[in-house]
Amino acid sequence: MATVKKSKKRVIVPICIVLVIAIVAGSIFAFAKSGSGEEVELHTITTDDIFETVSLTGEVSAGLSKEYKVGTVATVKEVNVKVGDNVKKGDVLATFDVSELNDQVASLQSSYNSALSAYNSASKSQKTATENAKELKGEIASLEKKVKKLEKAASTTKKATTISTTKSTTTTKPSHSRKPITTNTTTTTAPSSSTTTTTTTTKAPSSGGSVTVPTTPDYTANIEELVASLSELNKTLTQITDDLNTLAKATELIANVVSQAIANGNFDSDVIAQEVGAALSQAVKEGIIDSTNLIIESGLAVKMVEAAVSQIDFQGIADAVMNSNNVTLTAAEIQLASKNAQYAIYKAQSNETVLDAQRTAVDASKKALDTLKKQQAELAAGWTADFDGTITAVDITPGAQTTVLTSGITLENLDTMVATLSLSEYDVHKVKVGMPATITTAYGKYAGEVASIAPTATGGSETSILDSVGSMAGISGLSSLTASGAGVECQVSIKDTDENIIAGFDADVEIETGEYLGVVVVPIESIKLEKTGSYVYLYNEEDKTVTKTQIETGAVSDSCYEVTSGLKVGDRIISAPEATYKEDTFKVKVK
């Protein structure tokens, strides 16, 4: 049989025609679609009633409950109840031997008395230091004026002097191991008076020449160094103790040692530092300075003070005084430096911070003493029932020694029951005491009422993300699904309880927080939530477009929000806007 070959050309032509038709049809469809806009479904804004609620899950417990805990060390004498016993108000539940608490109370009383005595002493020292600082401030101002006057007089005298030809040779008296310094003295006479000044020429030890220096030395640096060193010494003292009495004793001791050393002609900073250290150590050993009032170990404290004292250039101060031709000015400068150092010390002693710390110690010891005395009195009288109820836990036995962590006896009144809830930060402002509630268990529904709301939040440190989502979506109480969400405890009383309401079980609670009748509403799914607010896409009938429009919302239910601004009855919006819209205004085709 002959084989008939089909022409490839005949096959290709129909395929091309089909493709062309498909492309043209697709183009026409796309053009038509683009011309008519995005296809959307609209919702017309109306009014409705909103019954706002907060829905949570809580744990059922007795309405009245008290846990009796020892809170200290004591011996149990008698336990008069067991789990399940019904007791009347005033019944004795347990008794204790409190003789061991007497020593504890005495010890705390002694600690409180010591803290109070230290505080009173510090308060008195602070008052004295404040008065001394005020007095010194006036003396410093007077000295500063005196120094300025002397400096001005010295400057005027220096300008008025002329050099004479009279010379004399003197040799300075050696000080300790210092080498003698040989000087040539030239007397200068002011032409207008008999006043004379002296210029000293000091021979250089290493050569036969001489160097001329002014007879009035530059002692300013020495004075400034003294002020800085004394200030640093004061800082060191405040670092080793925060007790004003100890600070005052240490300051007085150091001042006496330094004064005595200088009076004896001893200007060696290291030697003076060692004498100060020895005196401090002896004072600690003899109890003059209480080592318990030192912030650091006494040996280290002494070393710190020695180091600070050794930095003071006592020799430089002595040289400034001995070599100065204006002893009055130098003495005034040193006196001013000393007064400034004293003022700094008094200011430190009058600081409220140290006194506040001691006041806190007094308050803490007083609180501990009062707490223990209260516990002692309660245990001595024995535990008695505060109300009629049922014993639900007993964790102590006769003859046993209790501790701070020991549990005791739990008494509950099971005739009244409550559901305990945790309100998130978004719900707590909606719920008020007295609001009606519905409690739902596996056995039915019970009427209830908000009985109490705690003043503070507990149970977490981080904001729950689920709370934020829940608030925006109109769903309350999602914080209960997270361990990190803090909450405010709220108790809802349950009315007309029966045997089916059992303490320890969970129950669903719905609190009616508001009733809003005939308000403008918008479906939850019609709102687009963004960081900047809530938005809908408002339809414009005239040009067949929608525009992204911001609205303000109020009350919320499971399905809708109240609209307080941005929309009115009759407006039409996109029912469920897409998240992919790229423009705020665009054409649409209504389904």
Side-chain angles (χ1 to χ4, degrees):
M1 179 180 292
T3 300
V4 179
K5 291 185 179 180
K6 294 184 179 179
S7 172
K8 292 182 179 180
K9 185 176 181 181
R10 292 180 181 177
V11 176
I12 293 173
V13 171
I15 292 175
C16 292
I17 294 172
V18 171
L19 288 174
V20 170
I21 293 173
I23 291 171
V24 172
S27 299
I28 293 172
F29 177 77
F31 177 78
K33 184 176 181 181
S34 63
S36 61
E38 185 86 23
E39 190 174 59
V40 297
E41 186 173 340
L42 300 181
H43 169 80
T44 302
I45 299 299
T46 60
T47 60
D48 203 348
D49 299 335
I50 292 182
F51 299 94
E52 195 172 39
T53 62
V54 170
S55 298
L56 301 161
T57 298
E59 182 179 349
V60 177
S61 62
L64 279 176
S65 178
K66 179 173 181 178
E67 185 179 7
Y68 297 81
K69 296 193 70 172
V70 179
T72 186
V73 178
T75 301
V76 181
K77 288 175 64 176
E78 296 177 339
V79 179
N80 302 326
V81 293
K82 62 182 183 298
V83 174
D85 285 354
N86 292 319
V87 298
K88 296 293 184 180
K89 181 178 179 180
D91 287 351
V92 178
L93 308 179
T95 58
F96 301 86
D97 179 2
V98 297
S99 59
E100 297 177 4
L101 293 179
N102 295 333
D103 291 340
Q104 296 181 44
V105 171
S107 177
L108 284 179
Q109 183 70 58
S110 177
S111 297
Y112 169 68
N113 292 341
S114 297
L116 184 61
S117 176
Y119 170 74
N120 290 335
S121 177
S123 180
K124 184 178 179 180
S125 297
Q126 185 208 36
K127 184 178 179 181
T128 303
T130 302
E131 293 172 353
N132 289 341
K134 185 177 180 181
E135 183 179 343
L136 270 176
K137 194 172 183 179
E139 294 178 14
I140 289 171
S142 177
L143 270 174
E144 286 175 342
K145 290 180 180 178
K146 181 179 178 181
V147 167
K148 287 182 179 179
K149 186 176 180 180
L150 288 171
E151 287 176 341
K152 186 176 181 181
S155 176
T156 304
T157 302
K158 184 177 180 181
K159 290 179 180 178
T161 59
T162 58
I163 305 297
S164 73
T165 58
T166 305
K167 293 185 178 180
S168 64
T169 302
T170 62
T171 303
T172 59
K173 183 180 180 179
S175 174
H176 299 284
S177 59
R178 288 156 45 101
K179 294 181 180 180
I181 302 174
T182 303
T183 59
N184 293 325
T185 303
T186 301
T187 303
T188 59
T189 305
S192 59
S193 68
S194 60
T195 303
T196 62
T197 61
T198 304
T199 300
T200 302
T201 302
T202 304
K203 291 184 179 180
S206 58
S207 66
S210 63
V211 179
T212 301
V213 296
T215 57
T216 303
D218 183 13
Y219 49 80
T220 305
N222 291 317
I223 301 303
E224 290 176 350
E225 183 180 350
L226 176 62
V227 174
S229 299
L230 291 174
S231 298
E232 286 301 318
L233 176 58
N234 180 60
K235 289 180 183 177
T236 301
L237 290 176
T238 57
Q239 287 172 1
I240 67 174
T241 180
D242 56 7
D243 179 67
L244 290 178
N245 190 39
T246 303
L247 182 64
K249 288 180 179 178
T251 303
E252 183 180 3
L253 184 147
I254 293 170
N256 290 337
V257 173
V258 171
S259 298
Q260 188 62 43
I262 293 176
N264 293 335
N266 178 13
F267 302 105
D268 190 312
S269 301
D270 292 330
V271 173
I272 294 175
Q274 290 173 9
E275 292 178 0
V276 167
L280 275 178
S281 297
Q282 188 64 26
V284 171
K285 184 178 180 180
E286 295 177 1
I288 298 173
I289 292 179
D290 189 351
S291 61
T292 61
N293 290 330
L294 299 177
I295 298 174
I296 59 178
E297 192 270 328
S298 60
L300 180 58
V302 169
K303 292 296 183 185
M304 288 178 63
V305 173
E306 285 183 358
V309 173
S310 67
Q311 297 300 312
I312 302 176
D313 186 7
F314 296 105
Q315 187 65 61
I317 301 301
D319 290 347
V321 174
M322 288 188 297
N323 294 334
S324 173
N325 71 326
N326 195 336
V327 178
T328 304
L329 176 57
T330 306
E333 289 277 10
I334 294 176
Q335 189 180 8
L336 179 60
S338 176
K339 294 290 184 184
N340 277 320
Q342 283 182 278
Y343 179 74
I345 292 173
Y346 284 136
K347 286 294 288 182
Q349 292 175 348
S350 63
N351 194 317
E352 281 284 350
T353 303
V354 178
L355 195 61
D356 287 344
Q358 293 190 324
R359 186 185 295 113
T360 301
V362 171
D363 293 342
S365 59
K366 181 67 165 61
K367 184 177 180 181
L369 177 62
D370 290 345
T371 300
L372 187 59
K373 282 184 174 180
K374 181 180 178 182
Q375 291 172 343
Q376 183 186 39
E378 289 177 351
L379 293 176
W383 285 345
T384 57
D386 287 2
F387 49 84
D388 296 351
T390 302
I391 301 299
T392 57
V394 177
D395 296 309
I396 55 175
T397 56
Q401 191 85 358
T402 66
T403 68
V404 176
L405 301 177
T406 302
S407 296
I409 296 174
T410 302
L411 172 64
E412 295 183 306
N413 185 338
L414 301 177
D415 292 334
T416 59
M417 306 292 281
V418 297
T420 302
L421 318 169
S422 180
L423 300 175
S424 74
E425 61 180 305
Y426 298 97
D427 294 333
V428 68
H429 300 296
K430 303 175 186 176
V431 178
K432 307 295 179 186
V433 172
M435 285 182 169
T438 301
I439 298 91
T440 304
T441 71
Y443 299 97
K445 294 181 182 293
Y446 299 82
E449 182 180 282
V450 176
S452 65
I453 301 173
T456 58
T458 57
S461 59
E462 298 177 2
T463 302
S464 171
I465 297 176
L466 290 178
D467 281 336
S468 304
V469 175
S471 177
M472 292 187 292
I475 303 172
S476 303
L478 289 182
S479 63
S480 61
L481 301 178
T482 69
S484 61
V488 173
E489 183 178 280
C490 169
Q491 288 193 332
V492 177
S493 61
I494 305 173
K495 300 177 181 180
D496 302 324
T497 59
D498 55 30
E499 67 276 6
N500 293 320
I501 297 292
I502 301 174
F505 283 175
D506 288 343
D508 294 327
V509 180
E510 187 176 82
I511 303 172
E512 299 174 18
T513 57
E515 185 179 274
Y516 306 86
L517 306 178
V519 296
V520 179
V521 296
V522 60
I524 288 176
E525 64 271 14
S526 298
I527 297 177
K528 188 174 183 181
L529 298 173
E530 297 181 359
K531 290 182 179 180
T532 54
S534 302
Y535 296 87
V536 296
Y537 284 86
L538 183 61
Y539 179 64
N540 186 316
E541 181 72 36
E542 186 175 341
D543 56 11
K544 310 300 181 187
T545 61
V546 291
T547 299
K548 184 179 178 180
T549 303
Q550 187 170 13
I551 63 171
E552 299 293 332
T553 61
V556 60
S557 69
D558 292 341
S559 60
C560 61
Y561 275 100
E562 174 192 11
V563 180
T564 58
S565 68
L567 288 175
K568 63 182 184 299
V569 174
D571 285 343
R572 302 174 73 190
I573 60 173
I574 294 180
S575 296
E578 301 286 345
T580 56
Y581 295 153
K582 295 181 180 180
E583 297 178 344
D584 290 345
T585 299
F586 53 89
K587 282 188 172 293
V588 295
K589 180 181 179 182
V590 179
K591 286 186 181 180

